[in-house]
Amino acid sequence: MKTIHLKVLDAREMTSYVAEPVYKAKAAVIVVQEAFGVTAHVKELTQRFAREGYLAIAPEIFHRTAESGWTCAYTDFPAAQPHFMAITEKGMINDVQACYDWISKDQKVMAVGCSGYCLGGRVAFAANSKVPLKAAVSYYGGRIAPFLLPMAAKQIAPLLFFWGGKDAHIPADQIKSVTDALDAAKKPYTNIVISDADHGFFTDDKESYNPTAAKLSWATTLEFFKMHLLS
């Protein structure tokens, strides 16, 4: 893994973590953090994508308000809240665009997907309304409904959603409003609700980690990217 610094359209340089596959990558995945920064888990996830043959990059999307390398404990959301609340739609899109530009111009990898978790799931949805991705995956993306629903009609690539049926942060009516908006716009998506999973079920160092749900969603994500990025 290596660290690079990308110029973002509306901000200072953004630290990003890159993991490269053993052989030349045929596609790339932008891995977008939760609200707790680019943690050890996010870095390991970036390496997991690289081991599957993808060029993977994890940008520090709090770069406008936090110092490079900032993280906090999963139990300390108050520490993350000022950075979380400072995130804007424009900033989210510009951050993913900076990663996309680096991948497509400097690395010459044309097929790019995005996979985001919690806050990152929201970022993936927003970015897919403008950045020319080939696939977007959103794990329990908070605040897509109601705030980003107008972006449903602008979605570019097919979407894959994962939600936890026990997630009190994102109730069933919010999930339905997202899929209703996509149905109205006739946009392609796959929607998966795992009934016994909670918010953050994919993060293996959280209390809410659900190994069965994590294994299922990982396998499905890889198949989704294989279909849309490697075909």
CSV table of all heavy atoms in Angstrom, one decimal, residues 11-68:
chain,number,residue,atom,x,y,z
A,11,ALA,N,-10.7,22.3,-3.1
A,11,ALA,CA,-10.1,22.2,-1.8
A,11,ALA,C,-8.6,21.9,-2.0
A,11,ALA,O,-8.0,21.8,-3.1
A,11,ALA,CB,-10.7,21.0,-1.0
A,12,ARG,N,-8.0,21.7,-0.8
A,12,ARG,CA,-6.5,21.4,-0.8
A,12,ARG,C,-6.3,20.0,-1.2
A,12,ARG,O,-7.3,19.2,-1.5
A,12,ARG,CB,-6.0,21.6,0.7
A,12,ARG,CG,-6.7,20.8,1.7
A,12,ARG,CD,-6.2,21.1,3.1
A,12,ARG,NE,-6.9,20.3,4.1
A,12,ARG,CZ,-6.6,20.3,5.4
A,12,ARG,NH1,-5.7,21.2,5.8
A,12,ARG,NH2,-7.2,19.5,6.2
A,13,GLU,N,-5.1,19.5,-1.1
A,13,GLU,CA,-4.8,18.2,-1.5
A,13,GLU,C,-5.4,17.2,-0.6
A,13,GLU,O,-5.6,17.4,0.6
A,13,GLU,CB,-3.3,17.9,-1.5
A,13,GLU,CG,-2.6,18.6,-2.7
A,13,GLU,CD,-1.1,18.2,-2.8
A,13,GLU,OE1,-0.5,17.8,-1.7
A,13,GLU,OE2,-0.5,18.3,-3.8
A,14,MET,N,-5.8,16.0,-1.1
A,14,MET,CA,-6.5,15.0,-0.4
A,14,MET,C,-5.6,13.7,-0.3
A,14,MET,O,-5.2,13.2,-1.3
A,14,MET,CB,-7.8,14.6,-1.1
A,14,MET,CG,-8.6,13.5,-0.4
A,14,MET,SD,-10.2,13.2,-1.3
A,14,MET,CE,-9.6,12.7,-2.9
A,15,THR,N,-5.2,13.4,0.9
A,15,THR,CA,-4.4,12.1,1.1
A,15,THR,C,-5.3,10.9,0.8
A,15,THR,O,-6.5,10.9,1.2
A,15,THR,CB,-4.0,12.0,2.6
A,15,THR,OG1,-3.2,13.1,2.9
A,15,THR,CG2,-3.2,10.7,2.8
A,16,SER,N,-4.7,10.0,0.0
A,16,SER,CA,-5.5,8.8,-0.4
A,16,SER,C,-4.5,7.6,-0.3
A,16,SER,O,-3.3,7.7,-0.5
A,16,SER,CB,-6.0,8.9,-1.8
A,16,SER,OG,-6.8,10.1,-1.9
A,17,TYR,N,-5.1,6.5,0.0
A,17,TYR,CA,-4.3,5.2,0.2
A,17,TYR,C,-4.6,4.3,-1.0
A,17,TYR,O,-5.8,4.1,-1.3
A,17,TYR,CB,-4.7,4.6,1.5
A,17,TYR,CG,-4.3,5.4,2.7
A,17,TYR,CD1,-5.2,6.4,3.1
A,17,TYR,CD2,-3.1,5.3,3.3
A,17,TYR,CE1,-4.8,7.3,4.2
A,17,TYR,CE2,-2.7,6.1,4.3
A,17,TYR,CZ,-3.6,7.1,4.8
A,17,TYR,OH,-3.2,8.0,5.8
A,18,VAL,N,-3.6,3.8,-1.6
A,18,VAL,CA,-3.7,3.0,-2.8
A,18,VAL,C,-3.1,1.6,-2.6
A,18,VAL,O,-2.0,1.4,-2.0
A,18,VAL,CB,-2.9,3.7,-4.0
A,18,VAL,CG1,-2.9,2.8,-5.2
A,18,VAL,CG2,-3.5,5.0,-4.3
A,19,ALA,N,-3.8,0.6,-3.0
A,19,ALA,CA,-3.4,-0.8,-3.0
A,19,ALA,C,-3.4,-1.3,-4.4
A,19,ALA,O,-4.4,-1.1,-5.1
A,19,ALA,CB,-4.2,-1.6,-2.0
A,20,GLU,N,-2.3,-1.9,-4.8
A,20,GLU,CA,-2.2,-2.4,-6.2
A,20,GLU,C,-2.2,-3.9,-6.2
A,20,GLU,O,-1.6,-4.5,-5.4
A,20,GLU,CB,-0.9,-1.8,-6.8
A,20,GLU,CG,-0.9,-0.3,-6.9
A,20,GLU,CD,0.4,0.2,-7.4
A,20,GLU,OE1,1.5,-0.2,-6.9
A,20,GLU,OE2,0.4,1.1,-8.3
A,21,PRO,N,-2.8,-4.5,-7.3
A,21,PRO,CA,-2.8,-5.9,-7.4
A,21,PRO,C,-1.4,-6.4,-7.9
A,21,PRO,O,-0.6,-5.6,-8.3
A,21,PRO,CB,-3.8,-6.2,-8.5
A,21,PRO,CG,-3.8,-4.9,-9.3
A,21,PRO,CD,-3.6,-3.8,-8.3
A,22,VAL,N,-1.2,-7.7,-7.8
A,22,VAL,CA,0.1,-8.3,-8.2
A,22,VAL,C,0.4,-8.0,-9.7
A,22,VAL,O,1.5,-7.7,-10.1
A,22,VAL,CB,0.2,-9.8,-7.8
A,22,VAL,CG1,1.5,-10.4,-8.4
A,22,VAL,CG2,0.1,-9.9,-6.3
A,23,TYR,N,-0.7,-8.3,-10.4
A,23,TYR,CA,-0.6,-8.1,-11.9
A,23,TYR,C,-1.3,-6.8,-12.3
A,23,TYR,O,-2.0,-6.2,-11.5
A,23,TYR,CB,-1.2,-9.3,-12.6
A,23,TYR,CG,-0.5,-10.6,-12.2
A,23,TYR,CD1,-1.1,-11.5,-11.4
A,23,TYR,CD2,0.8,-10.9,-12.7
A,23,TYR,CE1,-0.5,-12.7,-11.0
A,23,TYR,CE2,1.4,-12.1,-12.4
A,23,TYR,CZ,0.8,-13.0,-11.5
A,23,TYR,OH,1.5,-14.1,-11.2
A,24,LYS,N,-1.2,-6.4,-13.5
A,24,LYS,CA,-1.8,-5.2,-14.0
A,24,LYS,C,-3.3,-5.2,-13.8
A,24,LYS,O,-3.9,-6.2,-14.2
A,24,LYS,CB,-1.4,-4.9,-15.5
A,24,LYS,CG,-2.0,-3.6,-16.0
A,24,LYS,CD,-1.5,-3.4,-17.4
A,24,LYS,CE,-2.3,-2.2,-18.0
A,24,LYS,NZ,-2.1,-0.9,-17.2
A,25,ALA,N,-3.8,-4.2,-13.2
A,25,ALA,CA,-5.3,-4.1,-12.9
A,25,ALA,C,-6.0,-3.9,-14.2
A,25,ALA,O,-5.6,-3.1,-15.1
A,25,ALA,CB,-5.6,-3.0,-11.9
A,26,LYS,N,-7.2,-4.6,-14.3
A,26,LYS,CA,-8.1,-4.3,-15.5
A,26,LYS,C,-9.2,-3.3,-15.1
A,26,LYS,O,-9.9,-2.8,-16.0
A,26,LYS,CB,-8.7,-5.6,-15.9
A,26,LYS,CG,-7.7,-6.6,-16.5
A,26,LYS,CD,-8.4,-7.9,-17.0
A,26,LYS,CE,-7.4,-8.9,-17.5
A,26,LYS,NZ,-8.0,-10.1,-18.0
A,27,ALA,N,-9.3,-3.1,-13.8
A,27,ALA,CA,-10.4,-2.2,-13.3
A,27,ALA,C,-10.0,-1.7,-12.0
A,27,ALA,O,-9.0,-2.1,-11.4
A,27,ALA,CB,-11.7,-2.9,-13.2
A,28,ALA,N,-10.7,-0.7,-11.5
A,28,ALA,CA,-10.4,0.0,-10.2
A,28,ALA,C,-11.6,0.1,-9.4
A,28,ALA,O,-12.7,0.2,-9.9
A,28,ALA,CB,-9.7,1.3,-10.5
A,29,VAL,N,-11.4,0.2,-8.0
A,29,VAL,CA,-12.5,0.5,-7.1
A,29,VAL,C,-12.1,1.6,-6.2
A,29,VAL,O,-11.0,1.6,-5.6
A,29,VAL,CB,-12.8,-0.8,-6.2
A,29,VAL,CG1,-13.8,-0.5,-5.2
A,29,VAL,CG2,-13.2,-1.9,-7.1
A,30,ILE,N,-12.9,2.6,-6.0
A,30,ILE,CA,-12.8,3.7,-5.1
A,30,ILE,C,-13.5,3.2,-3.8
A,30,ILE,O,-14.7,3.0,-3.8
A,30,ILE,CB,-13.3,5.0,-5.6
A,30,ILE,CG1,-12.6,5.4,-6.9
A,30,ILE,CG2,-13.2,6.1,-4.6
A,30,ILE,CD1,-13.3,6.5,-7.7
A,31,VAL,N,-12.8,3.1,-2.7
A,31,VAL,CA,-13.3,2.6,-1.4
A,31,VAL,C,-13.5,3.8,-0.5
A,31,VAL,O,-12.6,4.5,-0.1
A,31,VAL,CB,-12.3,1.6,-0.8
A,31,VAL,CG1,-12.9,1.1,0.5
A,31,VAL,CG2,-12.0,0.5,-1.7
A,32,VAL,N,-14.8,4.1,-0.1
A,32,VAL,CA,-15.1,5.3,0.6
A,32,VAL,C,-15.4,5.0,2.1
A,32,VAL,O,-16.3,4.2,2.4
A,32,VAL,CB,-16.2,6.1,0.0
A,32,VAL,CG1,-16.4,7.5,0.6
A,32,VAL,CG2,-16.0,6.3,-1.5
A,33,GLN,N,-14.8,5.7,2.9
A,33,GLN,CA,-14.8,5.4,4.4
A,33,GLN,C,-16.1,5.6,5.1
A,33,GLN,O,-17.0,6.2,4.5
A,33,GLN,CB,-13.8,6.5,5.0
A,33,GLN,CG,-14.3,7.9,4.8
A,33,GLN,CD,-13.4,9.0,5.4
A,33,GLN,OE1,-12.3,9.2,5.0
A,33,GLN,NE2,-13.9,9.6,6.4
A,34,GLU,N,-16.2,5.1,6.3
A,34,GLU,CA,-17.3,5.5,7.2
A,34,GLU,C,-17.0,6.8,7.8
A,34,GLU,O,-16.1,7.5,7.4
A,34,GLU,CB,-17.4,4.4,8.3
A,34,GLU,CG,-17.6,3.0,7.7
A,34,GLU,CD,-17.4,1.9,8.8
A,34,GLU,OE1,-16.2,1.7,9.1
A,34,GLU,OE2,-18.4,1.4,9.3
A,35,ALA,N,-17.7,7.2,8.8
A,35,ALA,CA,-17.6,8.5,9.5
A,35,ALA,C,-16.4,8.6,10.4
A,35,ALA,O,-16.1,9.6,10.9
A,35,ALA,CB,-18.8,8.8,10.3
A,36,PHE,N,-15.6,7.5,10.5
A,36,PHE,CA,-14.5,7.5,11.5
A,36,PHE,C,-13.1,7.6,10.9
A,36,PHE,O,-12.1,7.3,11.5
A,36,PHE,CB,-14.6,6.2,12.3
A,36,PHE,CG,-16.0,6.0,12.9
A,36,PHE,CD1,-17.0,5.2,12.2
A,36,PHE,CD2,-16.4,6.6,14.0
A,36,PHE,CE1,-18.2,5.0,12.7
A,36,PHE,CE2,-17.7,6.5,14.5
A,36,PHE,CZ,-18.6,5.7,13.9
A,37,GLY,N,-13.1,8.0,9.6
A,37,GLY,CA,-11.9,8.2,8.9
A,37,GLY,C,-11.4,6.9,8.1
A,37,GLY,O,-12.1,5.9,8.1
A,38,VAL,N,-10.3,7.1,7.5
A,38,VAL,CA,-9.7,5.9,6.8
A,38,VAL,C,-9.0,5.1,7.9
A,38,VAL,O,-7.8,5.2,8.1
A,38,VAL,CB,-8.8,6.3,5.7
A,38,VAL,CG1,-8.2,5.1,5.0
A,38,VAL,CG2,-9.5,7.2,4.7
A,39,THR,N,-9.7,4.2,8.5
A,39,THR,CA,-9.3,3.4,9.6
A,39,THR,C,-8.5,2.2,9.1
A,39,THR,O,-8.4,2.0,7.9
A,39,THR,CB,-10.5,2.9,10.4
A,39,THR,OG1,-11.3,2.1,9.5
A,39,THR,CG2,-11.3,4.0,11.0
A,40,ALA,N,-7.9,1.4,10.1
A,40,ALA,CA,-7.2,0.2,9.7
A,40,ALA,C,-8.1,-0.7,8.9
A,40,ALA,O,-7.7,-1.4,8.0
A,40,ALA,CB,-6.7,-0.5,10.9
A,41,HIS,N,-9.4,-0.8,9.3
A,41,HIS,CA,-10.3,-1.6,8.6
A,41,HIS,C,-10.5,-1.2,7.1
A,41,HIS,O,-10.5,-2.0,6.2
A,41,HIS,CB,-11.7,-1.6,9.2
A,41,HIS,CG,-12.8,-2.2,8.4
A,41,HIS,ND1,-13.0,-3.5,8.3
A,41,HIS,CD2,-13.8,-1.6,7.7
A,41,HIS,CE1,-14.0,-3.8,7.5
A,41,HIS,NE2,-14.5,-2.6,7.1
A,42,VAL,N,-10.6,0.1,6.9
A,42,VAL,CA,-10.7,0.6,5.5
A,42,VAL,C,-9.5,0.3,4.7
A,42,VAL,O,-9.6,0.0,3.5
A,42,VAL,CB,-11.0,2.1,5.5
A,42,VAL,CG1,-11.1,2.7,4.1
A,42,VAL,CG2,-12.4,2.4,6.2
A,43,LYS,N,-8.3,0.5,5.3
A,43,LYS,CA,-7.1,0.2,4.6
A,43,LYS,C,-7.0,-1.3,4.2
A,43,LYS,O,-6.6,-1.7,3.1
A,43,LYS,CB,-5.9,0.6,5.4
A,43,LYS,CG,-5.8,2.1,5.6
A,43,LYS,CD,-4.6,2.5,6.5
A,43,LYS,CE,-4.5,4.0,6.7
A,43,LYS,NZ,-3.4,4.4,7.6
A,44,GLU,N,-7.4,-2.1,5.2
A,44,GLU,CA,-7.4,-3.6,4.9
A,44,GLU,C,-8.4,-3.9,3.8
A,44,GLU,O,-8.1,-4.8,3.0
A,44,GLU,CB,-7.7,-4.3,6.2
A,44,GLU,CG,-8.0,-5.8,6.0
A,44,GLU,CD,-6.9,-6.6,5.3
A,44,GLU,OE1,-5.7,-6.2,5.4
A,44,GLU,OE2,-7.2,-7.7,4.7
A,45,LEU,N,-9.5,-3.3,3.8
A,45,LEU,CA,-10.5,-3.5,2.8
A,45,LEU,C,-10.0,-3.1,1.4
A,45,LEU,O,-10.2,-3.8,0.4
A,45,LEU,CB,-11.8,-2.7,3.1
A,45,LEU,CG,-13.0,-2.8,2.1
A,45,LEU,CD1,-13.4,-4.3,1.9
A,45,LEU,CD2,-14.2,-2.0,2.6
A,46,THR,N,-9.3,-2.0,1.4
A,46,THR,CA,-8.6,-1.6,0.1
A,46,THR,C,-7.7,-2.7,-0.4
A,46,THR,O,-7.6,-3.0,-1.6
A,46,THR,CB,-7.9,-0.2,0.3
A,46,THR,OG1,-8.8,0.7,0.9
A,46,THR,CG2,-7.3,0.3,-1.0
A,47,GLN,N,-6.9,-3.2,0.5
A,47,GLN,CA,-6.0,-4.3,0.2
A,47,GLN,C,-6.7,-5.6,-0.3
A,47,GLN,O,-6.3,-6.3,-1.2
A,47,GLN,CB,-5.1,-4.6,1.4
A,47,GLN,CG,-4.1,-3.5,1.7
A,47,GLN,CD,-3.3,-3.8,2.9
A,47,GLN,OE1,-2.7,-4.9,3.1
A,47,GLN,NE2,-3.2,-2.8,3.8
A,48,ARG,N,-7.9,-5.8,0.3
A,48,ARG,CA,-8.7,-7.0,-0.1
A,48,ARG,C,-9.1,-6.8,-1.5
A,48,ARG,O,-9.1,-7.8,-2.3
A,48,ARG,CB,-9.9,-7.1,0.8
A,48,ARG,CG,-9.6,-7.7,2.2
A,48,ARG,CD,-10.9,-7.7,3.0
A,48,ARG,NE,-11.9,-8.7,2.6
A,48,ARG,CZ,-13.1,-8.9,3.1
A,48,ARG,NH1,-13.5,-8.1,4.2
A,48,ARG,NH2,-13.9,-9.8,2.7
A,49,PHE,N,-9.5,-5.6,-1.9
A,49,PHE,CA,-9.9,-5.4,-3.3
A,49,PHE,C,-8.7,-5.6,-4.2
A,49,PHE,O,-8.8,-6.2,-5.3
A,49,PHE,CB,-10.5,-4.0,-3.5
A,49,PHE,CG,-12.0,-3.9,-3.2
A,49,PHE,CD1,-12.4,-3.1,-2.2
A,49,PHE,CD2,-12.9,-4.6,-4.0
A,49,PHE,CE1,-13.8,-3.0,-1.9
A,49,PHE,CE2,-14.3,-4.5,-3.7
A,49,PHE,CZ,-14.7,-3.7,-2.6
A,50,ALA,N,-7.5,-5.2,-3.8
A,50,ALA,CA,-6.3,-5.4,-4.6
A,50,ALA,C,-6.0,-6.9,-4.8
A,50,ALA,O,-5.6,-7.3,-5.8
A,50,ALA,CB,-5.1,-4.6,-3.9
A,51,ARG,N,-6.2,-7.6,-3.7
A,51,ARG,CA,-6.0,-9.1,-3.8
A,51,ARG,C,-6.9,-9.7,-4.8
A,51,ARG,O,-6.6,-10.8,-5.3
A,51,ARG,CB,-6.1,-9.7,-2.4
A,51,ARG,CG,-4.9,-9.3,-1.5
A,51,ARG,CD,-4.8,-10.2,-0.3
A,51,ARG,NE,-5.9,-10.1,0.6
A,51,ARG,CZ,-5.9,-9.2,1.7
A,51,ARG,NH1,-4.9,-8.4,1.9
A,51,ARG,NH2,-7.0,-9.1,2.5
A,52,GLU,N,-8.0,-9.1,-5.0
A,52,GLU,CA,-9.0,-9.6,-6.0
A,52,GLU,C,-8.7,-9.1,-7.4
A,52,GLU,O,-9.4,-9.4,-8.4
A,52,GLU,CB,-10.4,-9.2,-5.6
A,52,GLU,CG,-10.9,-9.8,-4.4
A,52,GLU,CD,-11.1,-11.3,-4.4
A,52,GLU,OE1,-11.3,-11.8,-5.6
A,52,GLU,OE2,-11.0,-12.0,-3.4
A,53,GLY,N,-7.6,-8.4,-7.6
A,53,GLY,CA,-7.1,-7.9,-8.9
A,53,GLY,C,-7.5,-6.5,-9.3
A,53,GLY,O,-7.2,-6.1,-10.4
A,54,TYR,N,-8.0,-5.7,-8.3
A,54,TYR,CA,-8.4,-4.3,-8.6
A,54,TYR,C,-7.4,-3.4,-8.1
A,54,TYR,O,-6.8,-3.6,-7.0
A,54,TYR,CB,-9.7,-4.0,-8.0
A,54,TYR,CG,-10.9,-4.8,-8.5
A,54,TYR,CD1,-11.4,-5.9,-7.8
A,54,TYR,CD2,-11.5,-4.4,-9.7
A,54,TYR,CE1,-12.4,-6.6,-8.3
A,54,TYR,CE2,-12.6,-5.1,-10.2
A,54,TYR,CZ,-13.1,-6.2,-9.5
A,54,TYR,OH,-14.1,-7.0,-10.0
A,55,LEU,N,-7.2,-2.3,-8.8
A,55,LEU,CA,-6.5,-1.2,-8.3
A,55,LEU,C,-7.5,-0.5,-7.3
A,55,LEU,O,-8.6,-0.2,-7.7
A,55,LEU,CB,-6.1,-0.2,-9.4
A,55,LEU,CG,-5.5,1.2,-8.9
A,55,LEU,CD1,-4.2,1.0,-8.3
A,55,LEU,CD2,-5.4,2.1,-10.1
A,56,ALA,N,-7.1,-0.3,-6.1
A,56,ALA,CA,-8.1,0.2,-5.1
A,56,ALA,C,-7.5,1.5,-4.4
A,56,ALA,O,-6.3,1.5,-4.1
A,56,ALA,CB,-8.4,-0.8,-4.0
A,57,ILE,N,-8.3,2.4,-4.2
A,57,ILE,CA,-7.9,3.7,-3.6
A,57,ILE,C,-9.0,4.1,-2.6
A,57,ILE,O,-10.2,4.1,-2.8
A,57,ILE,CB,-7.7,4.8,-4.7
A,57,ILE,CG1,-7.3,6.1,-4.0
A,57,ILE,CG2,-8.9,5.0,-5.6
A,57,ILE,CD1,-6.8,7.2,-5.0
A,58,ALA,N,-8.5,4.5,-1.4
A,58,ALA,CA,-9.4,5.0,-0.3
A,58,ALA,C,-9.0,6.5,0.0
A,58,ALA,O,-8.0,6.7,0.6
A,58,ALA,CB,-9.2,4.1,0.9
A,59,PRO,N,-9.8,7.4,-0.4
A,59,PRO,CA,-9.6,8.8,-0.1
A,59,PRO,C,-10.0,9.3,1.3
A,59,PRO,O,-11.0,8.7,1.8
A,59,PRO,CB,-10.4,9.5,-1.2
A,59,PRO,CG,-11.6,8.6,-1.4
A,59,PRO,CD,-11.1,7.2,-1.2
A,60,GLU,N,-9.3,10.2,1.8
A,60,GLU,CA,-9.6,10.8,3.1
A,60,GLU,C,-10.6,11.9,2.8
A,60,GLU,O,-10.2,13.1,2.6
A,60,GLU,CB,-8.4,11.3,3.9
A,60,GLU,CG,-7.5,10.2,4.4
A,60,GLU,CD,-6.4,10.7,5.3
A,60,GLU,OE1,-6.2,12.0,5.4
A,60,GLU,OE2,-5.7,9.9,5.9
A,61,ILE,N,-11.9,11.6,2.9
A,61,ILE,CA,-12.9,12.6,2.5
A,61,ILE,C,-13.1,13.7,3.5
A,61,ILE,O,-13.9,14.7,3.3
A,61,ILE,CB,-14.2,12.0,2.1
A,61,ILE,CG1,-14.9,11.3,3.3
A,61,ILE,CG2,-14.0,11.0,0.9
A,61,ILE,CD1,-16.3,10.8,2.9
A,62,PHE,N,-12.5,13.6,4.7
A,62,PHE,CA,-12.6,14.7,5.7
A,62,PHE,C,-11.4,15.7,5.6
A,62,PHE,O,-11.2,16.5,6.5
A,62,PHE,CB,-12.6,14.1,7.1
A,62,PHE,CG,-13.8,13.4,7.5
A,62,PHE,CD1,-13.8,12.5,8.6
A,62,PHE,CD2,-15.0,13.6,6.9
A,62,PHE,CE1,-15.0,11.9,9.0
A,62,PHE,CE2,-16.2,13.0,7.3
A,62,PHE,CZ,-16.2,12.1,8.3
A,63,HIS,N,-10.8,15.7,4.4
A,63,HIS,CA,-9.6,16.5,4.3
A,63,HIS,C,-9.8,18.0,4.4
A,63,HIS,O,-8.9,18.8,4.6
A,63,HIS,CB,-8.9,16.2,2.9
A,63,HIS,CG,-9.7,16.5,1.7
A,63,HIS,ND1,-9.6,17.7,1.0
A,63,HIS,CD2,-10.7,15.8,1.1
A,63,HIS,CE1,-10.5,17.7,0.0
A,63,HIS,NE2,-11.1,16.5,0.1
A,64,ARG,N,-11.0,18.4,4.2
A,64,ARG,CA,-11.3,19.9,4.4
A,64,ARG,C,-11.3,20.3,5.8
A,64,ARG,O,-11.2,21.5,6.1
A,64,ARG,CB,-12.7,20.2,3.7
A,64,ARG,CG,-12.6,20.0,2.2
A,64,ARG,CD,-14.0,20.1,1.6
A,64,ARG,NE,-14.0,19.9,0.2
A,64,ARG,CZ,-14.0,18.6,-0.4
A,64,ARG,NH1,-14.1,17.6,0.4
A,64,ARG,NH2,-14.0,18.5,-1.7
A,65,THR,N,-11.6,19.4,6.7
A,65,THR,CA,-11.7,19.8,8.1
A,65,THR,C,-10.8,19.1,9.1
A,65,THR,O,-10.6,19.5,10.2
A,65,THR,CB,-13.2,19.6,8.6
A,65,THR,OG1,-13.5,18.2,8.4
A,65,THR,CG2,-14.1,20.5,7.8
A,66,ALA,N,-10.2,18.0,8.6
A,66,ALA,CA,-9.3,17.2,9.5
A,66,ALA,C,-7.9,17.1,9.0
A,66,ALA,O,-7.7,17.1,7.7
A,66,ALA,CB,-9.9,15.8,9.7
A,67,GLU,N,-7.0,16.9,9.8
A,67,GLU,CA,-5.6,16.7,9.4
A,67,GLU,C,-5.4,15.4,8.7
A,67,GLU,O,-6.2,14.4,9.0
A,67,GLU,CB,-4.7,16.8,10.6
A,67,GLU,CG,-4.9,15.8,11.7
A,67,GLU,CD,-4.0,16.0,12.9
A,67,GLU,OE1,-3.7,17.1,13.2
A,67,GLU,OE2,-3.8,15.0,13.6
A,68,SER,N,-4.4,15.3,7.9
A,68,SER,CA,-4.1,14.0,7.2
A,68,SER,C,-3.9,12.9,8.2
A,68,SER,O,-3.2,13.1,9.2
A,68,SER,CB,-2.9,14.2,6.3
A,68,SER,OG,-2.6,13.0,5.7
